[in-house]
Amino acid sequence: MLVLALESSCDDTAAAVVDAVERRVLSNCISGQNDIHTPFGGIVPELASRRHIEMVQAVAEAALQQAGCTLADIGLVAATQGPGLVGSLLVGFTFAKAVALARNLPCVGVNHLAGHLLACLLEAEAPDFPYTALLVSGGNTALFRVDSPTRFVCMGRTRDDAAGEAFDKVAKMLGLGYPGGPLIARQAEQGNPAAFRFPRSWLDRDAFDFSFSGLKTAVRKVLPQTGRPDAAMTADLCASFQEAVVEVLVEKSIAAAHKNSHQQMVLGGGVAANQRLRTHLQARGLEEGLRVFLPALQFCTDNAAMIALAGFYAFQTGCQSGPNEDVYSRAALH
Ligand code: KG4
């Protein structure tokens, strides 16, 4: 069955066509918005939803064209229903419902986090169920037990900032720009990760929650009173900050996999693009006898291919969205 999927939960307008039974991605199109948000140092929701409106049809048409198919070949329409920015979500979800209504196709609303947790299945080498997943992005940082394509149990989540948000805020403090993750990672390549011993927030022993706000404050405290740190200090700050984030993410993920008695671990979300996180998780996984699955970057960041797959599995269990269904800004995964 071919699934046409839309994703517009934040600042990317994405559409994809996926052969869901074969788990084959026929197209995966994304129109980003960094150009309009960069001057503000973060995402401006009103601007994001306006740009989604301008782009959604063109991106959906591009996805169909690149897949070499038309709406006549599509068997299911899926779209992110939440969580995310309401104005942004409404664009993709309403578009999907309208297409489904016009073409008499079933439509299914998808939880964005379910998409991230299943994105690893789009790779040729995919894990079997069950597995432990670390979802780490600009809006979320959480550990999940993934029992099946539709059963996810949250083991812990951040109590304050998401890891990507912490990267973005620290980059802003250092005057590096937006989005901060890749900019900090680039600076960190030249820096010494042991130059500053920033706190690691382990919270309660055996707890799988995260907290990054104290780390952010610790970085602020070592900044010079006036002016910006010089190039060498900036690189050291970035490397030391990144190391503190990565160490906590990796050790908590490994502890979670052991608690679940799982042998497989999966990484997802925009921060999964971080090379230090990828290599350290892989190395520690090896030491601990765990197989680590790192999806390609195009499936880690927000994309519609993962929404197509998650939508297909939800549809198989009987889920469908009627024309009057609304989006949601927050919701637990169930
Ligand atoms: O999943 P995603 O594309 O969308 C949101 O959740 O918004 O993740 C974006 C987040 C941003 O906070 C960005 O700074 C972070 O992922 N990010 C990174 C890297 N690339 C993107 N963080 C650390 N290192 C990177 N290389």
Side-chain angles (χ1 to χ4, degrees):
M1 176 194 270
L2 295 192
V3 183
L4 169 67
L6 280 302
E7 149 63 35
S8 67
S9 61
C10 191
D11 62 337
D12 290 309
T13 319
V17 176
V18 173
D19 180 338
V21 178
E22 299 291 328
R23 293 186 200 159
R24 204 155 54 88
V25 180
L26 304 186
S27 64
N28 189 31
C29 300
I30 299 188
S31 169
Q33 303 185 350
N34 280 349
D35 59 327
I36 52 170
H37 301 298
T38 297
F40 299 95
I43 293 162
V44 183
E46 181 63 28
L47 296 181
S49 43
R50 283 191 216 175
R51 179 63 75 81
H52 283 306
I53 291 172
E54 287 164 12
M55 296 310 299
V56 67
Q57 182 163 350
V59 176
E61 282 173 358
L64 288 167
Q65 197 184 11
Q66 281 182 30
C69 67
T70 69
L71 281 177
D73 304 306
I74 300 296
L76 172 69
V77 186
T80 309
Q81 190 173 2
L85 302 171
V86 165
S88 290
L89 286 163
L90 275 171
V91 179
F93 192 54
T94 307
F95 185 89
K97 285 192 299 179
V99 169
L101 198 62
R103 303 293 302 199
N104 199 21
L105 288 166
C107 180
V108 62
V110 176
N111 186 302
H112 181 79
L113 307 186
H116 276 303
L117 296 175
L118 298 176
C120 52
L121 302 178
L122 295 166
E123 297 289 351
E125 271 197 47
D128 301 316
F129 295 97
Y131 52 82
T132 299
L134 171 66
L135 170 48
V136 63
S137 71
N140 299 282
T141 294
L143 275 162
F144 284 89
R145 199 184 79 208
V146 183
D147 292 337
S148 78
T150 52
R151 182 160 166 76
F152 315 95
V153 178
C154 182
M155 302 177 70
R157 59 179 72 242
T158 183
R159 293 183 186 172
D160 39 61
D161 292 338
E165 195 179 355
F167 269 93
D168 293 337
K169 287 178 177 171
V170 167
K172 196 169 180 175
M173 255 185 243
L174 296 172
L176 295 177
Y178 175 86
L183 298 165
I184 288 195
R186 201 169 314 139
Q187 290 283 335
E189 285 167 19
Q190 317 298 326
N192 172 9
F196 296 91
R197 183 64 200 168
F198 288 132
R200 272 70 168 154
S201 179
W202 300 109
L203 302 174
D204 312 328
R205 210 164 173 69
D206 302 328
F208 297 111
D209 280 355
F210 299 91
S211 168
F212 295 105
S213 64
L215 174 58
K216 197 179 60 191
T217 308
V219 175
R220 182 174 287 121
K221 278 191 180 153
V222 299
L223 289 179
Q225 297 286 328
T226 53
R228 295 230 174 106
D230 63 21
M233 186 182 180
T234 300
D236 284 347
L237 281 169
C238 289
S240 304
F241 163 78
Q242 177 177 268
E243 202 59 19
V245 175
V246 166
E247 192 180 319
V248 173
L249 290 175
V250 167
E251 294 309 321
K252 284 199 178 256
S253 302
I254 285 173
H258 284 324
K259 168 140 188 161
N260 292 332
S261 304
H262 288 170
Q263 274 80 51
Q264 304 169 105
M265 253 170 47
V266 157
L267 187 60
V271 182
N274 186 281
Q275 275 311 325
R276 177 69 189 140
L277 175 60
R278 293 173 84 86
T279 52
H280 193 47
L281 188 62
Q282 193 103 62
R284 286 286 295 119
L286 210 61
E287 284 172 9
E288 298 283 333
L290 300 166
R291 184 143 182 234
V292 177
F293 291 83
L294 303 171
L297 296 190
Q298 61 164 338
F299 300 133
C300 285
T301 50
D302 287 351
N303 68 87
M306 66 182 191
I307 300 302
L309 203 59
F312 171 71
Y313 291 127
F315 177 66
Q316 279 192 317
T317 65
C319 290
Q320 271 201 55
S321 299
N324 295 327
E325 241 181 78
D326 204 354
V327 298
Y328 46 83
S329 61
R330 294 165 178 270
L333 194 52
H334 45 80

